[in-house]
Amino acid sequence: MNTANLFSVLVAGIAIGAYFYSIHVSRQNSLPSALEPISLFKGMQTTMQQGKQPVDCRVAIGYNSNLDLIIDAIPLFKKLKIQPGLEQEHLTVGSFEELQEVFHHHFAAGGAAERFVSNGHVFSELVKEATILGGIESTGGNAALMANKLAIMGCSVLLGGPVGPRLQRHLHPSITLAEKTLADNDEVHLIMEYQVGHRWGPTVAPRANRFIVTRDEANGKVLGAEAFHDAVKAFSPSLVVISGFHMMEGYDSAFRSQRLNQVLKHFFDTVSTSTRIHLELASMTDKQFVKELLDKTLSTTDSLGLNEQELLTVFQVLDGKSLQAGQLTGRVPDQNAVVQVLKTIFRVYGKAQNKHGRRGLTRIHFHSLAFHIVAHRKGMWDNSKSSVAAGSYIATAQACDVENSVEKLQAADIDLLLPWNTTSTVKVWIEDDLEFSLAPVVVCKVPLKTVGLGDAISATGLLYHTYQA
């Protein structure tokens, strides 16, 4: 072959190679990248929308509702001249010193927590100074937050919890209030927020979170529960959500047991056995009370919602030995450890004990900063991929404050904590008679709205999960 012909062959070969390489690159670019958070967020929305919301969504929600007063934690502590010192856990807060210690304990870990303030002067001073600093008022309490979220999404909602005049202004106008729930004064909860990287003395927050303090008799004693149950009977919902039992921790164990028995007996005697029941947990520290609550509710409850801190507490009262605390908490919990605890919960509470003609626990929605898992008995729930994707999607949209304008979300504002090496938005697998669906969460680097995030996640996940009667 002469030089001219050889040169022609080489040019042709290069051209053909470039052509096929361009096709390869084009195909690669047309696929959603497994590592691009913005593509994953949009994929979550698509997966969520593949599920179907119920045509007639009727939900009754109790028991806790209040007015949240939201403030940046560190400026408030500086205003009160509270300096960082010891880190120590306390079940309740009786002084500014105890407040400093328990806040420091959770701030250092970046964990959410809620505590009852037994000292009226301490609580009044906190609220007064937070108000002076420009604290923002908003809807508070698991029940009220979930009620607002579901009402916004088109459900008919009955709310049973104390509602004062200021809180009522923040509730969705379509929400029906149970009789005798209107109160003359609002129950105020102080939400002290901080961002990842915030410094308090030598301590730096490893993640954004909040510390909540309350002094709330109406919610702590679950006042009005019986009136709510009576309203539920007339409302005829397909789902009842119960929450707020953590508010009872500020009272002695004898009162708690007596009141818990009263509330639950009246509840199960009143609510139809065909109505699904979801229990939403919140931050609790008294393990004896946690065990009592779980024993008296879960074997007669269809569904459970909880985060990583609450999962750790449940694990500690059911097992407590086979895993380290760090495997369940932190920025990215160990997936295998989480699944192990979820299986333990199903093993202990998943079989109905023929109490009140109920089914026993069939569904758990676990949510953490990095990922969510929806687990359920095979064949008993449908649309699990849409359910877990909906929770992940709303976590990002609400934290980044783009629910009404998702197109404003920028790639530079978000990140993934869980490595995600697939183009699927949700991973699904079967273990024994349980189906697990896992979705990563696209996290906002600077969260704008953290309060009520868990309630929004659970409410949205429930809305997209169909129970197979």
Side-chain angles (χ1 to χ4, degrees):
M1 182 180 294
N2 59 37
T3 304
N5 288 339
L6 178 62
F7 179 77
S8 298
V9 169
L10 287 172
V11 169
I14 291 170
I16 292 170
Y19 170 76
F20 283 108
Y21 176 76
S22 69
I23 291 176
H24 171 70
V25 171
S26 176
R27 284 177 177 171
Q28 278 194 322
N29 289 341
S30 69
L31 291 173
S33 171
L35 303 178
E36 288 181 0
I38 195 73
S39 299
L40 193 55
F41 173 68
K42 293 175 181 177
M44 287 298 170
Q45 185 178 29
T46 300
T47 305
M48 173 184 74
Q49 292 170 344
Q50 288 170 352
K52 294 181 180 179
Q53 295 186 27
V55 176
D56 182 21
C57 175
R58 295 180 67 80
V59 186
I61 310 177
Y63 299 97
N64 60 328
S65 53
N66 62 268
L67 184 76
D68 276 349
L69 182 61
I70 305 169
I71 192 73
D72 286 340
I74 304 308
L76 176 61
F77 276 57
K78 288 180 178 178
K79 183 80 163 55
L80 290 162
K81 296 182 171 55
I82 299 175
Q83 300 295 325
L86 294 176
E87 299 176 30
Q88 186 172 329
E89 182 64 282
H90 294 285
L91 300 185
T92 61
V93 174
S95 65
F96 284 113
E97 182 180 4
E98 289 183 352
L99 173 65
Q100 180 280 130
E101 291 173 350
V102 69
F103 172 81
H104 199 179
H105 172 75
H106 290 281
F107 177 82
E114 183 169 342
R115 295 294 177 269
F116 180 85
V117 180
S118 58
N119 186 314
H121 170 70
V122 170
F123 188 73
S124 295
E125 285 298 302
L126 285 168
V127 171
K128 183 183 76 174
E129 294 300 336
T131 303
I132 292 172
L133 285 174
I136 300 170
E137 292 185 356
S138 70
T139 305
N142 307 87
L145 286 163
M146 293 181 80
N148 261 353
K149 179 59 65 178
L150 289 170
I152 290 169
M153 300 182 78
C155 293
S156 298
V157 178
L158 171 70
L159 173 61
V163 176
R166 289 151 68 192
L167 171 59
Q168 192 170 9
R169 293 196 294 268
H170 293 280
L171 294 177
H172 193 276
S174 71
I175 293 174
T176 301
L177 299 179
E179 189 179 358
K180 300 179 182 177
T181 57
L182 288 173
D184 294 332
N185 298 303
D186 289 274
E187 295 285 1
V188 178
H189 292 195
L190 183 60
I191 316 294
M192 297 180 284
E193 295 187 325
Y194 52 86
Q195 300 294 334
V196 60
H198 274 191
R199 181 179 294 276
W200 193 40
T203 308
V204 178
R207 59 172 286 189
N209 226 316
R210 73 274 181 195
F211 187 85
I212 305 173
V213 290
T214 66
R215 184 175 170 79
D216 184 340
E217 181 178 350
N219 286 302
K221 294 182 177 180
V222 203
L223 301 179
E226 288 80 1
F228 169 62
H229 301 160
D230 292 337
V232 168
K233 192 172 184 179
F235 188 71
S236 297
S238 57
L239 170 70
V240 177
V241 178
I242 52 176
S243 63
F245 292 110
H246 62 288
M247 297 298 302
M248 302 177 75
E249 278 199 315
Y251 295 90
D252 64 80
S253 59
F255 170 79
R256 288 189 318 224
S257 293
Q258 180 186 27
R259 184 58 182 143
L260 184 62
N261 288 337
Q262 289 173 345
V263 170
L264 293 177
K265 182 180 186 308
H266 192 268
F267 175 74
F268 289 119
D269 286 348
T270 307
V271 177
S272 169
T273 56
S274 64
T275 303
R276 289 174 295 139
I277 301 169
H278 173 85
L279 172 66
E280 188 69 16
L281 288 186
S283 174
M284 300 174 72
T285 57
D286 189 325
K287 294 180 176 59
Q288 179 182 345
F289 182 51
V290 172
K291 184 67 163 60
E292 180 182 8
L293 175 63
L294 298 179
D295 287 346
K296 291 177 178 178
T297 58
L298 283 193
S299 61
T300 49
T301 296
D302 298 279
S303 175
L304 171 68
L306 75 175
N307 66 19
E308 73 276 17
Q309 297 290 336
E310 294 141 18
L311 187 73
L312 173 62
T313 303
V314 172
F315 166 72
Q316 289 171 336
V317 302
L318 294 183
D319 181 335
K321 298 178 182 178
S322 60
L323 298 170
Q324 298 296 318
Q327 292 177 268
L328 298 175
T329 58
R331 286 172 67 82
V332 186
D334 184 307
Q335 295 176 46
N336 292 328
V338 170
V339 169
Q340 178 180 325
V341 180
L342 296 182
K343 291 169 70 173
T344 299
I345 298 172
F346 276 116
R347 176 175 54 80
V348 176
Y349 298 110
K351 290 183 172 58
Q353 300 175 6
N354 295 317
K355 292 181 179 180
H356 313 284
R358 303 281 171 184
R359 292 163 289 272
L361 186 69
T362 59
R363 175 188 185 271
I364 303 175
H365 190 164
F366 165 81
H367 47 89
S368 69
L369 179 67
F371 65 89
H372 298 172
I373 294 178
V374 168
H376 65 88
R377 295 284 184 198
K378 284 194 302 183
M380 300 198 74
W381 295 81
D382 198 12
N383 294 330
S384 299
K385 289 178 68 174
S386 294
S387 174
V388 74
S392 173
Y393 170 81
I394 204 66
T396 306
Q398 183 166 313
C400 299
D401 198 17
V402 294
E403 285 183 85
N404 299 318
S405 53
V406 293
E407 69 280 355
K408 292 183 179 179
L409 192 64
Q410 300 296 315
D413 299 329
I414 54 179
D415 200 0
L416 271 179
L417 300 181
L418 181 72
W420 197 251
N421 300 314
T422 174
T423 55
S424 300
T425 53
V426 176
K427 292 179 181 178
V428 180
W429 72 96
I430 305 291
E431 292 190 31
D432 302 323
D433 64 338
L434 299 173
E435 180 177 313
F436 295 86
S437 299
L438 183 150
V441 177
V442 176
V443 299
C444 197
K445 292 180 180 178
V446 182
L448 302 176
K449 292 173 67 176
T450 61
V451 174
L453 204 53
D455 302 304
I457 291 165
S458 288
T460 309
L462 278 167
L463 184 62
Y464 282 88
H465 217 179
T466 306
Y467 179 72
Q468 301 296 303

